[in-house]
Amino acid sequence: MRASAAGEFFDALERCDPIERERGLMAALPAQIAHAQAHTAAYAELFAGLDAAAINSRAALAGLPITRKTELMARQQRLRATDAFGGYSTIAWAGRGNKTARRVFQSPGGIYEPEGQGADYWRAARALFAAGVRVGDLLHNSFSYHLTPAGSMMEGGAHALGCTVFPGGVGNTDLQLQAIADLRPQAYAGTPSFLKILLDKAAETGVDVTSLNKALVSGEALPASLRDWFLARGVDAYQCYATADLGLIAYETAARQGLVLAEGVIVEIVRPGTSDPLPEGEVGELVVTSLNPDYPLIRFGTGDLSALLPGHCPTGRSNTRIKGWMGRADQSAKVRGMFVHGAQVAEIMRRFPALGRARLVIEGEMAQDRLTLRIETAAGANEGLNERIAEVIREVTKLRAEVVQLPPGSLPNDGLVIEDARSYK
């Protein structure tokens, strides 16, 4: 029976009462924060004096600082001689603390991530199951096994399901097609673009790859047009959202209505450039608190945009859903020799709490930039307000900008706070 059949679940957690799930997450949160304080140098410093027992609600969690990848990278680089993980990990190897890390991976930018000893450490089995992968299947894994953890993520999840894995990795298209023709795998894991390359090349060369009928893809967007293209060639493709730092965060189901959050993570959507949670439906940066004791990242900013969806998945899975990946939140632009960041736009708007969405638009040609801050306000046109906002813009960014007031709902709900519309011809 395929995962598309309603009522089929990886485990009972997927259909537990949402109130009970939330209660369990909030009960586990203080212990995870106390664990991070006691066993990691980074959180001992960041949370010095914090009463972990008091962080037992989303409101309390929202009061903690967000750690973004740039900060993690900077701390790792600063402490590299003694701690490759920058003091965020509770596991390592001889001479660097505990000896329990199974593997160490390196992501772009020279960021190192630990892999612990637990089975299905990255929790990918749940996403593979939702994509239809079952015990006894052969999974052709074309995620990278070199440096980065994606290949290991999928392999660990497949083994947890009782599958056999062919470690194809990236590239070597002809050899991978030969393996598919010889071994007849049922499932594929990898990027959607490489799956398309394989299917295109198979059609061109006449290699039989018809055994492939299901796929779990990630690392790139999967537009509906490409998903339909795969389906027309006999491959039912699903997507998941995971990172090297956090493992699985969300996964697609047969309903095709957003991505269901994984178990064991606490997800917030915050206004880009701030740590302020946004309500359901608003697009912002996806922030994750992991309950993984080996790598206890607390309010870790992914830098990716998404939004919480209302209601629950029609398949019966009860966890919250997100829209999926909607772009990058860490927006910036260089204007007249000065960098403008999303956090600066957020600071400007914080001074005027009655305003709605805002977008700083940069127009004109290079060296002749025009800045306009478009703001939503229900108060109607107010020249005095424009002048006050313009003064704050100069104070915060050191740049001059025009202010344009718009009615509520005028700006798109896409999380974009800086729009670079300049001509680069």
Side-chain angles (χ1 to χ4, degrees):
M1 182 165 56
R2 292 296 309 279
S4 57
E8 190 176 21
F9 303 98
F10 176 72
D11 60 19
L13 290 174
E14 293 186 350
R15 46 185 172 168
C16 77
D17 181 85
I19 296 175
E20 289 301 316
R21 177 187 288 109
E22 183 72 3
R23 185 177 291 127
L25 289 173
M26 294 304 107
L29 181 57
Q32 179 73 334
I33 292 174
H35 172 74
Q37 286 175 306
H39 298 285
T40 72
Y43 287 113
E45 178 182 319
L46 189 62
F47 295 160
L50 177 70
D51 178 10
I55 312 301
N56 57 5
S57 68
R58 288 185 180 266
L61 178 64
L64 300 183
I66 290 177
T67 297
R68 292 189 164 86
K69 195 175 287 271
T70 52
E71 297 165 271
L72 185 148
M73 184 190 307
R75 189 176 172 98
Q76 282 197 3
Q77 291 173 346
R78 189 169 71 250
L79 301 177
R80 188 141 295 163
T82 56
D83 188 339
F85 304 122
Y88 288 97
S89 173
T90 68
I91 60 174
W93 57 91
R96 302 229 176 173
N98 297 327
K99 303 179 182 180
T100 52
R102 175 183 290 162
R103 296 185 183 94
V104 180
F105 293 99
Q106 183 193 74
S107 290
I111 298 178
Y112 292 97
E113 298 98 7
E115 180 183 12
Q117 298 289 343
D120 191 19
Y121 175 79
W122 309 95
R123 309 180 314 283
R126 190 178 302 279
L128 286 163
F129 187 91
V133 181
R134 294 294 181 270
V135 60
D137 282 347
L138 173 61
L139 177 72
H140 187 99
N141 188 5
S142 284
F143 277 116
S144 175
Y145 277 80
H146 178 63
L147 295 177
T148 60
S152 185
M153 283 185 190
M154 292 300 159
E155 180 160 309
H159 288 325
L161 289 177
C163 300
T164 303
V165 176
F166 176 79
V170 178
N172 299 305
T173 305
D174 291 337
L175 290 176
Q176 297 214 41
L177 284 176
Q178 179 184 334
I180 294 171
D182 292 344
L183 302 177
R184 311 293 293 166
Q186 294 86 8
Y188 166 92
T191 63
S193 60
F194 191 64
L195 177 57
K196 186 175 188 303
I197 288 171
L198 288 172
L199 295 178
D200 278 336
K201 189 66 178 287
E204 176 188 328
T205 59
V207 175
D208 183 4
V209 295
T210 55
S211 66
L212 286 178
N213 56 60
K214 49 203 171 190
L216 180 64
V217 300
S218 192
E220 300 167 347
L222 177 65
S225 58
L226 183 55
R227 184 188 68 206
D228 292 343
W229 188 91
F230 289 143
L231 195 57
R233 287 151 183 81
V235 181
D236 196 6
Y238 292 77
Q239 58 187 318
C240 71
Y241 173 52
T243 73
D245 318 277
L246 299 157
L248 180 69
I249 298 169
Y251 60 97
E252 191 173 27
T253 73
R256 308 288 190 185
Q257 296 182 20
L259 305 183
V260 177
L261 293 184
E263 305 295 330
V265 292
I266 300 170
V267 171
E268 304 167 88
I269 302 294
V270 307
R271 192 177 303 282
T274 78
S275 61
D276 305 329
L278 289 170
E280 186 179 89
E282 289 291 314
V283 177
E285 182 182 5
L286 195 144
V287 172
V288 180
T289 295
S290 170
L291 297 181
N292 175 5
D294 295 340
Y295 203 34
L297 296 175
I298 312 295
R299 297 203 88 199
F300 186 75
T302 64
D304 293 324
L305 292 172
S306 193
L308 300 175
L309 291 174
H312 299 296
C313 182
T315 64
R317 291 171 173 86
S318 61
N319 210 345
T320 304
R321 295 173 299 157
I322 59 173
K323 284 188 177 181
W325 186 82
M326 300 178 68
R328 292 294 293 169
D330 44 356
Q331 302 159 31
S332 64
K334 197 170 187 178
V335 182
R336 305 171 203 158
M338 304 281 291
F339 273 104
V340 181
H341 301 277
Q344 292 174 302
V345 179
E347 173 59 27
I348 293 164
M349 300 309 293
R350 189 177 288 113
R351 309 275 187 97
F352 302 91
L355 301 178
R357 297 192 187 110
R359 177 170 299 191
L360 186 65
V361 180
I362 311 165
E363 298 173 291
E365 299 180 356
M366 295 299 287
Q368 295 181 341
D369 308 313
R370 299 191 309 276
L371 284 179
T372 304
L373 183 67
R374 298 175 183 172
I375 55 171
E376 292 182 357
T377 174
N382 185 326
E383 287 301 321
L385 176 62
N386 281 5
E387 291 176 3
R388 293 198 303 276
I389 294 174
E391 290 175 3
V392 172
I393 294 171
R394 285 196 298 274
E395 176 188 337
V396 173
T397 69
K398 313 306 179 188
L399 297 165
R400 294 182 179 274
E402 181 184 356
V403 177
V404 174
Q405 297 180 41
L406 301 169
S410 300
L411 294 173
N413 179 24
D414 56 9
L416 194 65
V417 294
I418 297 178
E419 179 183 350
D420 193 343
R422 289 174 290 191
S423 170
Y424 290 88
K425 295 181 181 179

